[in-house]
Amino acid sequence: MIPAQFDYQAPATLEEAVSLLASDPDGAKILAGGHSLIPAMKLRLAQPQLLIDIGRIKSLAYIREEGDQILIGATTTHYQLESSDLLKRICPLLPECAKSIGDVQVRNKGTIGGSIAHSDPAGDWPAAVLALGADLVLVGPHGERTVKAEEFFVDLLTTALEPGEILREIRIKKPSGRFGHAYQKVPHPASGFAVVGIAVHLELNDDNSCKAAAIGVTGVSVKAYRAKGVENALAGTSLDTDAIAAAEKHVCDGVDPNSDLYASSDYRCQLARVYTRRALQAAKANVQ
Amino acid sequence: MKLDGTHQLEAARERVYQCLVDPEVLQRCIPGCERLEKTAENTFAATIRTGVGSIKGVFNGTARLEDLREPEHLRIVVDGKGTPGFLKGSGDLDLEQAENGTKITYAGDVQVGGTIASVGQRMIQGTAKMMATQFFTSLGAEAATQVGEPPPQHGFFRTALRWFSGWLKNIFRKQ
Amino acid sequence: MKKAINLSVNGVSRTDEVEPRMLLVHYLRDVLELTGTHVGCETSLCGACTVMLDGQAVKSCTLFAVQADGSAVTTIEGLAENGKLHPVQEGFWEKHGLQCGYCTPGMIVTAAQLLERNAAPSREEICHGLDGNLCRCTGYQHIIEAVEYAAKKAGQS
Amino acid sequence: MTNNYVGKRVKRTEDPRLIRGLAHYVDDVALPGTLHVSFVRSIYAHARITNVDTSAALAAPGVVAVYTGHDVAKIGAVPCASALPDLKVPDHRVLASDKVYFVGHPIAAVVATDRYAARDAVDLVMVDYEELPVVTDVEQAAAGGPVIHESFGDNIAYKLTTGEGDIDAAFAAADRTVKQRILHNRLAPIAMEPRGVLARYFPGEEELTMWSSTQIPHLMRTQVALMIGIPENKLRVITPEVGGGFGSKLNVYAEEALLGWISMQLGKPVKWIETRRENMLATIHGRGQVGDIEVAFKNDGTLTGLRYSVFADLGAYHQLLTPAIPTLTGLMLSGAYKIPAIQMNITGCFTNKMATDAYRGAGRPEATYVVERALDLVAAELGADPAEVRRKNFPAPSEFPFHTATGLDYDSGDYEAALNKAQEIAGYAQLREEQKQGRQEGRLMGIGVSTYVEICALGPSQAMPAGGWESATVRIEPTGKVTVLTGASPHGQGQETSFAQIAADELGVDINDITVIHGDTGVVQYGIGTFGSRATAVGGTAVFVAIQKLKEKAQKIAAHMLKADASRVSFEGGKYSLEAAAAASAATGTSEPVVPVGEAPAGALPEPQTEGKSSLTIQDIALAAHLAKELPPDTEPGLSATYFFEPKNFTFPFGTHIAVVEIDHETGDIKFLRYVAVDDCGRVINPMLVDGQVHGGIVQSIGQAMYEEVVYDEQGQLVTGTLMDYAVPRAKHIPNFELDRTETPSPVNPLGVKGVGEAGTIGATPAIVGAIVDALAPFGVRHLDMPIKPENVWRIINHG
């Protein structure tokens, strides 16, 4: 219940945060909403020497349109995303995903950047940002770089963030044309984490055939991933029952599914298949 | 918890075996191993600072090599205790000469206790797999060098990157 | 090293020096002696510690007091205004939404947030809104009815 | 004032403080200079302790003391109050010194100036262990696994056979028999407030006050006094607000005695508040049985015999009632049915786990579950409707008191009435029709029926380890305020309200003039506590009878003051009046209260004015009794009465629960369509409180049936160590409950109440499991073990 001692800094700017982090890249941790880190600290599984609280950098919390992109600041809370009218209009997958994270208290304080940087294997955001093909903007002592979501999630709780780097922004290409979306999840009855979570971004041709399907999967493997097998199987199809049934089978291709007390690996795969289908059907049904 | 799998290393079996019984190499390959001191024949005192993401712990304990049958088999037995609990494990490693290197088949049993056991339920298996992968990836890099050459650099992050690129290659190979 | 914090709790301005690791819930309970906010788990799952931080329901066990520096906190003790119970408090009393009372402060604060954002929630929306709060006594049915009562009551006034 | 509170939905008097956050639980009690305790606990399930090095911890900032097992050897053993023949009782010390027997076993107590420093120092205590082989499976433990307590030679704590009737003959003569192995998952009670103790020793007075989150303040006082060697009358136990117990606080724990002892050593207040992880590790668990149920029956469905052979997983040590819990299972194996021969064979075994003990229902849910599962198996075997098989075996209302082959006499009941009512509310016939239709369309819908009976109002002292009575003192203060002191120690059940309802009706006073006090051994006469659905049936009865005693005295005083023979004075609506005829001849007077008590000037007691009055309120009498100027001869001043109620029998509430579920055949997900419960808990004092008890109980059943399970791995590590993995039901997991009641008064107590605290937990589990199994009947399923998770269901659907 009680964390080990640490030092605390609340820089006013991101630059300050980067230089603080550079002072001790191993012992320092970035604190955003704290909803992944603080529970681990209370169990003393994480004992950082220094917490750099970026929650006070006001300029890091935003949702805005810029050209054909949606820019989301790292410390934007789940609730801000859930309740954003702009996003409901132009990128409804994000609010839908946000709504299924944890509970209202967690959504009020937890941040999208914290969640993505922590890369919990059962976190919700990784699935959504993968499905939306997001770019993640990382800033470090040597400047800024952009990493594709697909390359960002490396392994269990392990990302492309180099020591000393901070996730600053999530950039998403504004969905255009005829698109549908869905995030469907089996929450663990105790923790609320995704046993399986499927995010779908679906683009249709004028004849209602599938132009492109992007599917982010969380909960199934040690890290979130794009279900390329499903995506490839759907491309060009009419998205009818048979096409979806044929495609859903590929959702666990190439991954070694997790197995735990609640769900064995083959049951998890079954859930992934079923929820892939349900998410696809839901996405198809809400195409504008 | 059972842990098993196979790894393909691009090095000759004898070389891989040498690496496995070389404490200096082992120290570099075991993720987070800060100290590996010989205390008796094939027995070492070890300090391992390891973890995933922000979850970290320090373990002190012993590592032992058993059932040495060069160049085809050995068993590694580890036992450590630390702030987040304890970990114990043993793994049998079988080395086979394969087409372009060595195929290692491992079968082990890992036990954890204390906090990590009671709170880390959904992550333990993933962590163990990840550590095994890191170990064998590093081992592969070590074995790819010749005796007397400087060892490869493979800190935690580099190892992960190397493993990641290897994984990407594998994906492409499959397709 | 201790850090100075300055915040408003239930409308009263507070200044203190705290260890950075001090959890907000311990600051409220042990330093300010506002013991209505409870601790029921250590993994952010029970919601007994819920308070309002700048108008948003948060789990005060998953926040350091230093993070609340400069903020306004409302705890269960500050929910009734001028001695008049908040409609959710009334609902819990009227509908027997509590038994042992331990989860109740967190449950009430969370329910208040729910009604602020959705004045007339459905049963399903109430359950979704209370997903972060555990109760082991009531079986939730009376809690749901209490929130429904409060929604109706607030709608009338 | 003629009151009619009993039977009404009266809002709780407890609530104003609770809903405003102004109530005090143990951790809310702050004393200056309090030291905080944190425990070093074993990370191994079975090991020899070779060394404990406390030097670094002692040197840490803020640390005042560190105690290990050897330091506290003088403290007596943690008590076990169960007396079973040939029971093996391990020497359960408050801190382990040589060996640890389960993960979480306390090894050292660190005392520091604040809770942060205490927690930090725990990490600095170095314990060296030598691991020993572990046994966690109860059957392996029985069959000769590693021996936990070496001196016993094996892990079998006791074996017991109970029951009446010729069981072998019953099975030999049966048309048919069924047998099923059944598992009762180990559960964690998870009271929302973890345990906690604050102890303060007064060196001058040589008195120790302990605030503890317990269900049994007086029993705890007795036991802790014995353990730490303080005279019992120098120890005061206060239970402030208690945040739920469910049996987990019906115990005396190592930490309680230790905190008292530490405070005496240091002469300072010391506090320990359990963390949730400690709560999962080292607060008792419930259930944990595995066994075979066998039933003998005739082709027409008549039950002729029942045998249950069970291994009870007791854990590493006995807590207060550990070995007794499975014996309660044996008592209730007749269920709501006429079964001529019943036998239970219990093998209680030690395992390297935390002790099991009383968790809501305490042994009786296990009985109801196996019996109800057995009835479903009989129905399946016969192809009969499960409700009809039950109906066939009910004793008729005229057969009560009904003697069972487990040796009990059920007090009263009309089981069929409850079944009929539940079926009617559920639309049972229509549901079966819908199910039939649905099956043809591939829908997996299931209906589960449970017609339970439970044993409550624990109980006659002969059957209880530490007395089964309950006490009450009722006192009317000079100002007319009524104080009720109850030895029961409610913690959320609402007896401050329901006892006030009883008192208000019986005394004819305003309910707001009544204060119910409990949970302070310095204030309240000795009592037993709140558990076993006893507080109202036993404790409420004590209040009721104490009031009658008080009124007898008041009547005498009233007669004296009214200058009439006591036999001519009647009591109604809070007033003693001369009988109508006598009143007519008496001087005319007002029947209004003669002393406007509430308007008395501050600091002065009004003088009772009785001259010429024909009636007096009981509050007038109270004042006169305290002034003692106008009392009949040989009458003690004051107006209070104490009563210790000894129940002659248990009570036997009953009811019917019907659960309707539908299963998603692709995911195995289980959804409730309906939940109907008709409970009969005898006379109802406050229907709102009764509903609340039933709701809460059913949801704990939902937890056991579908979500909850304490899981240890083979090495004895607790893998469900937090609420991240141990799933307590949330609001989204529950159906909309449709409750109703029948009301069959109990003849056992004058209130006619039976108790309802555990009914939901006892009656609901088999209905839920029955419904799930029924949904899966097309796959040939007859039983599934709990918790039934979606994966289990999916496996059945997809793999048979």
Side-chain angles (χ1 to χ4, degrees), chain C residues 21 23 26 29-30 36 40 42 45 89 93-94 96 99-102 123 131 136-141, chain D residues 9 12 19 25 27-28 115-116 120 188-190 276-277 692 695-696 700 708 729-730 732 734 736-737:
Chain C
R21 63 171 170 163
L23 297 167
H26 287 148
R29 290 178 49 81
D30 294 349
E42 32 187 350
L45 286 168
Q89 289 173 309
W93 193 9
E94 190 61 48
H96 189 31
Q99 289 179 28
C100 81
Y102 196 78
R123 182 187 165 102
D131 203 24
R136 194 62 158 164
C137 294
T138 64
Y140 302 102
Q141 177 108 348
Chain D
R9 188 187 181 285
R12 298 205 315 174
I19 57 177
Y25 301 81
D27 198 20
D28 305 339
R115 47 180 118 220
Y116 283 59
D120 287 347
I190 316 280
R276 180 57 64 192
R277 261 187 310 157
H695 290 153
Q700 288 185 7
E708 298 180 37
R730 291 173 186 272
K732 66 182 173 191
I734 65 152
N736 182 36
F737 299 113

Side-chain angles (χ1 to χ4, degrees), chain B residues 84-101:
Chain B
F86 67 82
L87 66 86
K88 281 194 306 187
S90 65
D92 282 288
L93 274 60
D94 287 298
L95 285 67
E96 274 174 76
Q97 194 70 57
E99 201 176 317
N100 42 10

Side-chain angles (χ1 to χ4, degrees), chain D residues 756-769:
Chain D
V756 72
E758 293 149 302
T761 331
I762 289 169
T765 322
I768 298 161
V769 172

Side-chain angles (χ1 to χ4, degrees), chain C:
Chain C
M1 200 174 51
K2 289 196 169 182
K3 295 273 170 192
I5 56 169
N6 192 323
L7 65 165
S8 153
V9 180
N10 298 333
V12 178
S13 175
R14 307 276 188 171
T15 304
D16 276 294
E17 293 237 312
V18 297
E19 262 196 280
R21 63 171 170 163
M22 177 175 269
L23 297 167
L24 179 60
V25 68
H26 287 148
Y27 175 70
L28 294 171
R29 290 178 49 81
D30 294 349
V31 180
L32 303 186
E33 296 178 359
L34 291 166
T35 56
T37 302
H38 299 147
V39 178
C41 75
E42 32 187 350
T43 47
S44 291
L45 286 168
C46 82
C49 65
T50 303
V51 300
M52 292 280 193
L53 180 74
D54 295 327
Q56 306 223 47
V58 296
K59 292 178 176 172
S60 63
C61 78
T62 311
L63 271 172
F64 296 114
V66 287
Q67 288 176 279
D69 182 24
S71 296
V73 175
T74 305
T75 69
I76 185 71
E77 291 94 336
L79 209 59
E81 278 179 26
N82 304 320
K84 188 173 161 20
L85 292 180
H86 186 282
V88 175
Q89 289 173 309
E90 266 186 65
F92 271 67
W93 193 9
E94 190 61 48
K95 292 293 175 182
H96 189 31
L98 63 150
Q99 289 179 28
C100 81
Y102 196 78
C103 75
T104 309
M107 201 64 92
I108 287 176
V109 171
T110 310
Q113 170 96 98
L114 166 66
L115 293 182
E116 269 172 33
R117 292 179 179 175
N118 181 357
S122 65
R123 182 187 165 102
E124 204 188 335
E125 287 167 334
I126 293 171
C127 292
H128 182 69
L130 298 177
D131 203 24
N133 295 70
L134 285 175
C135 170
R136 194 62 158 164
C137 294
T138 64
Y140 302 102
Q141 177 108 348
H142 281 160
I143 291 178
I144 295 164
E145 288 169 17
V147 178
E148 286 168 344
Y149 175 95
K152 210 179 259 178
K153 179 97 187 180
Q156 283 163 359
S157 64

Side-chain angles (χ1 to χ4, degrees), chain D residues 514-569:
Chain D
I514 300 169
T515 296
V516 178
I517 295 176
H518 56 83
D520 182 346
T521 67
V523 175
V524 180
Q525 71 290 335
Y526 207 96
I528 303 298
T530 293
F531 56 89
S533 304
R534 68 191 304 278
T536 304
V538 189
T541 301
V543 171
F544 177 84
V545 182
I547 291 170
Q548 309 316 314
K549 271 179 77 178
L550 178 144
K551 279 158 65 177
E552 271 173 41
K553 177 174 177 181
Q555 174 124 1
K556 278 185 202 153
I557 300 172
H560 182 76
M561 291 169 72
L562 294 170
K563 302 182 174 52
D565 187 83
S567 65
R568 294 182 55 226
V569 174

Side-chain angles (χ1 to χ4, degrees), chain D residues 50-97:
Chain D
T50 53
N51 188 41
V52 182
D53 180 356
T54 60
S55 55
L58 277 166
V63 173
V64 174
V66 181
Y67 298 102
T68 65
H70 295 291
D71 302 324
V72 300
K74 279 189 180 158
I75 301 177
V78 178
C80 166
S82 311
L84 295 170
D86 304 320
L87 175 68
K88 291 173 193 158
V89 182
D91 183 21
H92 183 179
R93 315 309 301 181
V94 293
L95 291 175
S97 50

